[in-house]
Amino acid sequence: MSLVARLAALPCAARRWSAPLLALLFAAVLAGCDNSPYPAGAAAKNILFNSFDERSPRYLDPTASYSNPESPYTYSAYDTLYGYHYLKRPYVLVPKLAEAVTPPYFVDAQGRRLPDDAPVDQIAESVYDIRIKRGVMYAPHPAFARKPGPDGRDQYLYHHLSRADIGDRRSPLDFEVQGTREVVADDLVYALKRHATTRIETPVAAVFSEYVVGLKDYIALIKREDAALIAGLPRSSQDKPFLDFRRWPLAGVTALDSHTVRMRIKGKYPQWKYWLAMPFTAPVPWEADAFYSQPGMAANGLTLVRWPVGSGPFMMSEYVQDRRHAMVRNPNWRGEPYPCEGMPGDKEAGLLADCGKTLPFVDGFQSVIVKERVPRKELFKQGYLDVPEVERPDWGVEFRADAEDSDEVRSFFDARGFKFPQTTDINSWYLGFNWLDPVVGKGDTPEQQLRNRKLRQALSIAIDWEEGYGRIFRTKGGEAAHGPVPPGIFGSKEGTPEGINPVTHRLVDGKPVRRSLDDAKRLLAEAGYPGGRDEKTGRPLVLNYDYQRTPTPEIKSELDWMVKQFGKLGVQLEIRATDYNQFQDKVLKGKHQIFWWGWLADYPDAENFLFLLYGPNAKSLHQGENAANYSNEEFDRLYRRLQTLDDGPEKQQVIDRMVDIVREDAPWAWGYWPYVAVAFQQWVHNGKPSILIRDQVKYYRVDPATRVALQAQWNRPTWWPMLGLVLALAGLVVLARRSYRARQLATASAVEPALAGKGA
């Protein structure tokens, strides 16, 4: 029965309450107008609100975590030895947990110390002796809770629990007693040892084992020891005995004293310092492993994968799988001052206004799942999201494109004070040529090599990246690249007259101008394909383009545009789009010809991009990251030299020569450097876009009072539809009552004659 019918059917005494009921209905409808995904009153708290669009982060364990959506939580929960200056570009390493950014010293094969300028071939090891700050405390956690023991010494309160003791606890905060302790050097040793574990994924264990002395053998040792520990357990068992890495020493990582860790690295590898700015090397207390290894913990979701145990500025307070996550201020965090130096324009942008103030500014941040992109944009425009997503640096690009397409949208954004700071950063997209392919690859004979190179150069000229990703596909836009080394890191000359690629561009009035199609057609003819046809057979040149996604309407428009670029030379491009797994399989087998690929920097060094063209890293031959399978003996020799060089003139010369080589060989059509732009509400301060800085939340400052006021202003309910609804409901009630009374009267009229007849 409908609500109106129910009201009409009420007895007269109860019907007097229909108006109050309608008022309550009216209030309930109004309450439904609040589109906020957060509880009432949340906006007044000093919290940063954002969203995520897929499943919950897979790994928050610092040993395993390597994906972008996990980074806001891992970088907030864990202290790294080093970090990056929040405002300076190019990126500058600064100490975080460490007292200072400490350079290594070098020793020879006999362990004798060498001078800092020793020849690389004499250096057997680089030794890092790093002092950590005193008084750094872990966030409160039951793993550290203690109680007096029978012998008068403290014992861990929650290290000998049964399944019954754990009960239905599903959060560390469900335990009555929380504890803490100081971070010590042994925790850094323990963290490096954990990369030998067999119980979770260890994505950088192979890399680390190439450099950390003894780690490769240590991994083999732990594999054997762990197999012995779990022997006899059911394969499906989630509960495995505590794997205590303290039992087995690792030669390459030791604690010299309570606050000094020594790391021994094979040879000279200056890039090691950048790994110390990532959670892979952040301290991990053994107590956390011991606590979470107890029977019943994993079944209740109590693991390091979900509940980090670190000494960073925030700690996990809520983890609702695939729905909601919250982090709050770590009450034990030591605090850091907001930077007082930056780049030109930072002061004018208000990024130095909080100079010297203690971080973090917010009391925490909360993330809710919003699966669709359009609703996330609407929630941001309504003021219910302070930033659409913490870790994604592309939201501002899309909002800026929306504003450029419509004066009305631009005025709306301006009126609401949205901020979309934009820059380029160290990531790239490019089109690659498979070096193993007989048509676009290296070629077997000197004559064929020359022809193939001219073909690649002609195609590189024809693809107008400035048009495609500068003017057409602006939601994915960026600046045309002239080589493999992006702006913002040492050695790059992108954006300068010296950084122009002479193969594809000319310098006109100090600016790069893409070479003409006539230049491309001339090269194409010299390659043996005049007008896009094979000069020997007369057949059209048909090339295959392998794309790593199933086409959507948006992607199809990009593919159509690429076909047109080749068509300008008379070359036919066949699209072979597949899902990512199929594409990966094709590339591993070397069956691709021309392909689309990108790279997001791990650290700010040219080596992290030039290794994408290093021969021994060929993906189809050695399963490396050189998807083009490019190989050049001089380039490979220079790359090995680059790996040993510190920033300076010699390194610059090596980078310049390597860039010249690949520009001439053209194993890539260089693509573009994507814009990086973040979307902020006007009440969020200190926002600066970045690829590498992942602990950015601690720098953000929120003005909750402004947020509350503007949310109310921007989301005022429209009253007339509600009033119309109430009047309509009231009318229906009146009509229903009249109908009910009419039926009652009709029934009474029919009954009276019958009663009269009986009485006679």
Side-chain angles (χ1 to χ4, degrees):
M1 185 183 292
S2 70
L3 174 62
V4 174
R6 289 178 185 274
L7 288 172
L10 290 172
C12 291
R15 237 176 269 141
R16 290 197 298 267
W17 297 100
S18 59
L21 284 173
L22 285 171
L24 287 173
L25 174 64
F26 179 56
V29 172
L30 285 180
C33 293
D34 185 351
N35 198 32
S36 173
Y38 298 99
K45 297 179 180 179
N46 185 27
I47 298 291
L48 183 89
F49 297 102
N50 80 112
S51 65
F52 61 101
D53 64 348
E54 297 181 5
R55 297 176 64 84
S56 290
R58 185 179 180 191
Y59 283 118
L60 300 185
D61 186 318
T63 304
S65 178
Y66 205 8
S67 90
N68 200 45
E70 296 160 359
S71 60
Y73 311 103
T74 53
Y75 278 80
S76 293
Y78 290 97
D79 260 326
T80 52
L81 284 167
Y82 303 154
Y84 297 101
H85 193 286
Y86 182 58
L87 301 177
K88 290 183 179 180
R89 307 290 186 274
Y91 290 101
V92 177
L93 274 180
V94 295
K96 294 291 187 181
L97 178 60
E99 289 185 348
V101 176
T102 306
Y105 64 86
F106 309 118
V107 298
D108 63 15
Q110 287 71 44
R112 295 173 299 200
R113 188 156 181 168
L114 298 170
D116 292 342
D117 59 353
V120 172
D121 58 1
Q122 295 182 14
I123 298 174
E125 293 180 9
S126 303
V127 182
Y128 292 78
D129 288 345
I130 301 173
R131 295 279 301 169
I132 63 173
K133 295 174 180 175
R134 292 184 177 273
V136 175
M137 306 299 290
Y138 283 107
H141 195 277
F144 303 116
R146 291 172 176 262
K147 63 179 180 180
D151 58 357
R153 292 185 296 178
D154 284 351
Q155 296 180 344
Y156 286 98
L157 182 59
Y158 298 120
H159 279 213
H160 302 284
L161 302 178
S162 66
R163 286 187 176 85
D165 293 329
I166 296 170
D168 60 356
R169 292 185 175 102
R170 298 188 178 274
S171 162
L173 300 178
D174 291 337
F175 291 83
E176 294 77 9
V177 182
Q178 307 285 309
T180 186
R181 71 162 172 82
E182 186 180 18
V183 176
V184 294
D186 278 327
D187 300 331
L188 292 155
V189 176
Y190 193 85
L192 266 294
K193 289 179 176 180
R194 289 184 83 244
H195 289 278
T197 186
T198 62
R199 299 185 180 182
I200 55 173
E201 290 184 15
T202 54
V204 300
V207 176
F208 281 12
S209 68
E210 291 298 316
Y211 295 106
V212 177
V213 172
L215 183 56
K216 189 170 292 186
D217 291 337
Y218 192 79
I219 291 173
L221 168 68
I222 295 301
K223 185 176 181 178
R224 295 192 300 269
E225 295 288 348
D226 194 23
L229 274 176
I230 63 177
L233 290 176
R235 179 170 279 186
S236 61
S237 175
Q238 290 181 283
D239 300 320
K240 294 180 174 61
F242 173 36
L243 183 59
D244 190 353
F245 296 97
R246 295 176 301 167
R247 294 172 52 192
W248 306 283
L250 171 59
V253 188
T254 53
L256 299 185
D257 58 44
S258 63
H259 288 78
T260 307
V261 64
R262 169 170 288 175
M263 299 179 183
R264 296 165 53 201
I265 305 301
K266 299 174 187 177
K268 185 177 181 182
Y269 180 54
Q271 290 78 19
W272 177 251
K273 60 182 178 289
Y274 297 122
W275 290 106
L276 304 183
M278 302 174 74
F280 293 124
T281 55
V284 176
W286 68 268
E287 293 95 333
D289 264 349
F291 176 81
Y292 287 129
S293 296
Q294 298 177 92
M297 287 285 186
N300 283 19
L302 289 165
T303 67
L304 271 176
V305 167
R306 291 189 178 185
W307 297 98
V309 184
S311 58
F314 298 103
M315 54 184 283
M316 186 69 73
S317 62
E318 187 177 18
Y319 189 107
V320 183
Q321 181 74 25
D322 301 332
R323 288 180 55 195
R324 183 173 62 255
H325 312 300
M327 299 198 82
V328 297
R329 184 191 298 263
N330 171 9
N332 298 332
W333 199 56
R334 63 192 178 279
E336 290 176 358
Y338 185 87
C340 292
E341 297 178 303
M343 301 299 293
D346 282 350
K347 182 176 182 180
E348 293 75 8
L351 292 173
L352 296 178
D354 289 318
C355 162
K357 296 179 182 177
T358 302
L359 302 173
F361 295 125
V362 297
D363 293 330
F365 61 98
Q366 294 187 18
S367 310
V368 294
I369 191 165
V370 184
K371 294 184 178 181
E372 301 297 330
R373 198 166 183 88
V374 171
R376 296 170 91 185
K377 292 176 71 174
E378 290 305 312
L379 285 169
F380 176 79
K381 289 188 283 188
Q382 292 170 327
Y384 294 126
L385 294 176
D386 299 322
V387 295
E389 197 170 0
V390 167
E391 76 278 3
R392 289 291 299 272
D394 58 354
W395 280 97
V397 179
E398 185 166 340
F399 279 114
R400 290 168 74 106
D402 291 345
E404 291 172 6
D405 288 340
S406 167
D407 291 338
E408 182 180 357
V409 172
R410 181 188 296 275
S411 298
F412 175 80
F413 287 176
D414 289 344
R416 297 212 161 177
F418 298 153
K419 296 177 287 188
F420 310 121
Q422 178 171 289
T423 185
T424 56
D425 212 339
I426 48 179
N427 62 135
S428 69
W429 285 106
Y430 62 88
L431 184 141
F433 304 101
N434 182 8
W435 213 241
L436 305 179
D437 184 82
V439 178
V440 301
K442 180 180 181 180
D444 295 327
T445 66
E447 180 185 4
Q448 187 181 15
Q449 291 171 8
L450 179 61
R451 289 181 51 171
N452 288 9
R453 182 167 69 238
K454 289 185 176 183
L455 171 60
R456 295 190 301 272
Q457 291 176 346
L459 296 173
S460 297
I461 293 172
I463 303 172
D464 191 346
W465 299 102
E466 291 88 349
E467 175 198 66
Y469 293 88
R471 297 190 292 275
I472 298 177
F473 307 112
R474 288 174 294 111
T475 60
K476 299 181 178 180
E479 296 181 3
H482 290 256
V485 183
I489 59 178
F490 180 84
S492 174
K493 292 185 177 178
E494 294 280 329
T496 69
E498 297 81 12
I500 291 174
N501 182 0
V503 172
T504 57
H505 289 73
R506 295 180 293 110
L507 189 64
V508 178
D509 297 329
K511 296 181 179 179
V513 176
R514 185 166 291 276
R515 289 188 176 275
S516 67
L517 280 178
D518 289 338
D519 289 345
K521 290 176 180 178
R522 175 181 53 79
L523 285 167
L524 190 66
E526 293 174 1
Y529 304 100
R533 290 181 175 272
D534 190 308
E535 62 184 358
K536 295 179 180 179
T537 66
R539 294 177 180 174
L541 176 60
V542 181
L543 301 175
N544 296 313
Y545 182 38
D546 292 290
Y547 196 79
Q548 56 181 277
R549 295 177 189 168
T550 304
T552 62
E554 180 184 14
I555 291 175
K556 187 177 184 304
S557 65
E558 292 183 62
L559 297 176
D560 290 343
W561 176 84
M562 189 64 75
V563 170
K564 291 179 181 178
Q565 303 309 298
F566 283 67
K568 291 186 293 189
L569 299 180
V571 177
Q572 297 180 27
L573 188 68
E574 296 288 338
I575 304 298
R576 301 194 300 190
T578 61
D579 65 39
Y580 186 67
N581 289 336
Q582 291 173 315
F583 173 81
Q584 285 274 62
D585 184 62
K586 184 182 293 186
V587 173
L588 283 171
K589 294 177 179 178
K591 297 185 180 299
H592 55 312
Q593 187 174 49
I594 299 174
F595 62 98
W596 179 251
W597 203 277
W599 187 253
L600 190 73
D602 288 319
Y603 45 84
D605 194 277
E607 181 254 3
N608 193 233
F609 283 83
L610 293 171
F611 94 117
L612 299 172
L613 293 164
Y614 180 49
N617 281 340
K619 185 171 284 289
S620 304
L621 301 176
H622 309 296
Q623 299 187 11
E625 292 300 334
N626 176 0
N629 299 306
Y630 174 68
S631 178
N632 179 292
E633 289 184 5
E634 183 183 3
F635 182 92
D636 291 349
R637 176 176 55 80
L638 290 170
Y639 176 81
R640 290 188 289 270
R641 183 178 167 196
L642 174 73
Q643 286 186 298
T644 67
L645 296 175
D646 297 304
D647 292 352
E650 184 181 1
K651 184 174 180 178
Q652 182 69 65
Q653 291 176 2
V654 170
I655 292 172
D656 289 345
R657 178 56 189 153
M658 294 175 75
V659 171
D660 287 343
I661 291 171
V662 294
R663 281 174 175 168
E664 182 70 18
D665 279 348
W668 298 353
W670 299 106
Y672 69 101
W673 312 120
Y675 289 128
V676 174
V678 189
F680 296 100
Q681 299 287 354
Q682 62 172 279
W683 54 78
V684 180
H685 305 278
N686 302 330
K688 186 167 183 172
S690 171
I691 289 292
L692 283 185
I693 294 172
R694 303 299 178 86
D695 58 345
Q696 62 268 60
V697 173
K698 71 181 182 185
Y699 297 98
Y700 294 164
R701 177 168 55 82
V702 172
D703 181 356
T706 300
R707 177 170 58 197
V708 170
L710 291 180
Q711 280 185 5
Q713 178 183 324
W714 295 349
N715 299 283
R716 287 174 179 164
T718 304
W719 292 90
W720 66 263
M722 304 303 168
L723 182 59
L725 176 63
V726 171
L727 291 174
L729 287 172
L732 289 173
V733 169
V734 171
L735 289 174
R737 290 180 64 187
R738 287 180 178 176
S739 176
Y740 177 77
R741 295 181 69 134
R743 287 198 303 271
Q744 292 291 93
L745 290 172
T747 302
S749 299
V751 170
E752 284 177 2
L755 292 175
K758 287 183 179 180

